[in-house]
């Protein structure tokens, strides 16, 4: 048996094939950043914490991120984007406060950030990210996603990374 074109690309990614397919499709359809964030959340553990004594408040916080959609993926994406914004505007202290208020694990958010960068590198290695990707910059001793850089999926010109 021969691999399909998609299967050949997936065979070069050291990730679960479902996550690899998400990453490739995100590059093709021009929505790579949110897909990489969701993929990082799926590949690691859930960043939402549920303290036994505050389960209802934690559930409400997660629902607020979903914005009435009942989507765990949107909740994950919005929680991460809020965490990243808090970190960029106020540093590690603001990021910790954001996690505390929203029942998120700071360690998991940092791991997701590292995975987003690693996933972007993997997608670049197989040719789906050719003109730049979120790099790693040192800011206040922490790894940060780089600035807005354009990317191009094979055969397509697309926008850039949201800040």
């Amino acid at each position: 048996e021969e691999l399909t074109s998609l299967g050949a690309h997936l065979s070069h990614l050291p990730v679960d094939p479902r996550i690899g397919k998400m990453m490739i499709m995100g590059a093709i359809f021009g929505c790579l950043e949110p897909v990489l964030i969701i993929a990082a959340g799926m590949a690691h553990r859930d960043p939402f914490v549920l303290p036994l004594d505050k389960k209802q408040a934690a559930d409400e916080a997660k629902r607020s991120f979903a914005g009435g959609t009942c989507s765990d993926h949107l909740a994950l994406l919005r929680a991460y984007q809020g965490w990243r914004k808090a970190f960029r505007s106020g540093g590690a202290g603001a990021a910790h406060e954001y996690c505390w208020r929203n029942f998120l694990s700071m360690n998991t958010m940092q791991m997701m950030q590292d995975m987003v960068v690693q996933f972007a590198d993997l997608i670049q290695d197989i040719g789906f990210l050719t003109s730049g990707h979120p790099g790693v910059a040192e800011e206040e001793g922490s790894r940060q996603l780089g600035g807005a850089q354009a990317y191009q999926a094979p055969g397509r010109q697309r926008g850039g990374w949201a800040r």
Side-chain angles (χ1 to χ4, degrees):
E1 284 186 48
E2 288 188 33
L3 291 174
T4 64
S5 295
L6 177 59
H9 288 299
L10 290 172
S11 71
H12 292 93
L13 294 174
V15 298
D16 181 284
R18 293 172 296 178
I19 291 173
K21 187 174 180 180
M22 281 177 57
M23 292 164 47
I24 290 171
M25 293 299 162
I28 290 171
F29 290 113
C31 55
L32 188 57
E33 181 185 28
V35 169
L36 292 181
I37 293 166
I38 293 167
M42 291 174 61
H44 197 52
R45 66 176 196 239
D46 189 1
F48 292 96
V49 294
L50 294 171
L52 293 176
D53 60 333
K54 296 182 182 179
K55 186 177 181 331
Q56 184 176 0
D59 285 339
E60 287 175 17
K62 186 174 183 178
R63 273 195 306 275
S64 74
F65 284 117
T69 66
C70 298
S71 170
D72 288 342
H73 293 148
L74 282 179
L76 175 67
L77 174 63
R78 290 174 179 155
Y80 179 87
Q81 289 172 330
W83 172 81
R84 184 172 63 188
K85 183 178 179 181
F87 200 103
R88 285 184 175 162
S89 66
H96 277 283
E97 176 62 27
Y98 179 85
C99 287
W100 179 257
R101 277 193 333 268
N102 294 292
F103 300 93
L104 295 165
S105 165
M106 181 71 170
N107 289 338
T108 302
M109 299 304 275
Q110 290 171 327
M111 178 60 71
M112 285 177 57
Q113 178 176 266
D114 291 342
M115 292 175 76
V116 167
V117 173
Q118 291 171 10
F119 287 171
D121 287 341
L122 291 172
I123 287 296
Q124 182 179 31
D125 289 347
I126 64 169
F128 280 85
L129 190 62
T130 58
S131 61
H133 65 85
V136 178
E138 293 296 321
E139 279 184 36
E140 299 176 357
S142 298
R143 291 170 56 123
Q144 298 288 310
L145 287 178
Q149 297 182 4
Y151 63 89
Q152 175 186 346
R156 293 177 72 110
Q157 291 282 346
R158 280 304 213 176
W161 288 84
R163 283 172 92 58

